[in-house]
Amino acid sequence: MTDQELIDQLKNGNEGCLQHLYQHLGKVKGWISQNSGNDDDALDVFQEAIIVFYKNVMAGKYELRSKISTYLFEVSKRQWLNQLNRRKKYEKQSDGVVAVDWGQEDDEIEFTYKGPSLKKYLMEALEKLGEPCKSLLETTIFLGMRMEDIAEKFDYSGPRSASQQKLRCLKKLRSGISYEVIIGLK
């Protein structure tokens, strides 16, 4: 299927043709693995890129000036670099942690924070999401459950469907979080 045929199919309501885009995932996996990521990171970022592509096509904002594979790679690359920047900011925030050693021989360390905690802020943001997003993100992030098991638990049609729902929920969570507030939390 040519790029123009794929765009035409999407505009005619055939979302199933998005499956053809996964043939370009390998290039994204390779680049992300060379830049501090793994295959799961690459899949998440690539699926976000597909969502961006789909929305732009449906809104009439996408122009076929280059190959779709190039567009998906560039969007994936931008998404990954943004994630790395957010991680870097979070790691800088972690530098504000105060470690207190009470001199015990087993080297127990207590971590203390001044002011509102990051954990509390994030838990409140999760609460605001509502169901099923709250449970889905808790299950995937905190319990580390596989997408196959999540699809079964939440009655999704399959792992891809569960993964796409996870991405929607993450996007919803991100829109409700202020990174400036997170950076200011201790």
Side-chain angles (χ1 to χ4, degrees), residues 5-55:
E5 289 172 337
L6 189 131
I7 291 170
D8 293 340
Q9 288 285 323
L10 283 176
K11 288 182 179 180
N12 289 329
N14 180 8
E15 294 177 6
C17 67
L18 289 172
Q19 294 284 359
H20 293 284
L21 298 176
Y22 282 88
Q23 66 185 334
H24 307 298
L25 177 60
K27 186 175 179 182
V28 173
K29 278 184 179 179
W31 188 83
I32 288 180
S33 68
Q34 292 175 347
N35 289 281
S36 306
N38 59 36
D39 286 354
D40 289 336
D41 295 326
L43 182 59
D44 287 346
V45 166
F46 189 75
Q47 287 177 335
E48 287 180 30
I50 288 176
I51 291 169
V52 169
F53 169 73
Y54 175 75
K55 286 181 178 178

Side-chain angles (χ1 to χ4, degrees), residues 83-132:
Q83 281 189 29
L84 288 177
N85 283 335
R86 285 192 297 269
R87 285 181 188 176
K88 188 182 259 185
K89 287 178 184 177
Y90 179 75
E91 288 171 3
K92 284 182 182 178
Q93 175 60 34
S94 296
D95 292 342
V97 174
V98 178
V100 179
D101 184 358
W102 296 101
Q104 298 172 348
E105 287 196 25
D106 58 357
D107 292 328
E108 287 183 24
I109 297 175
E110 179 180 322
F111 293 96
T112 59
Y113 295 94
K114 296 178 181 178
S117 73
L118 177 61
K119 181 179 178 182
K120 182 179 177 186
Y121 180 74
L122 292 176
M123 292 309 286
E124 288 173 358
L126 269 175
E127 287 295 326
K128 289 178 187 176
L129 279 180
E131 294 298 336

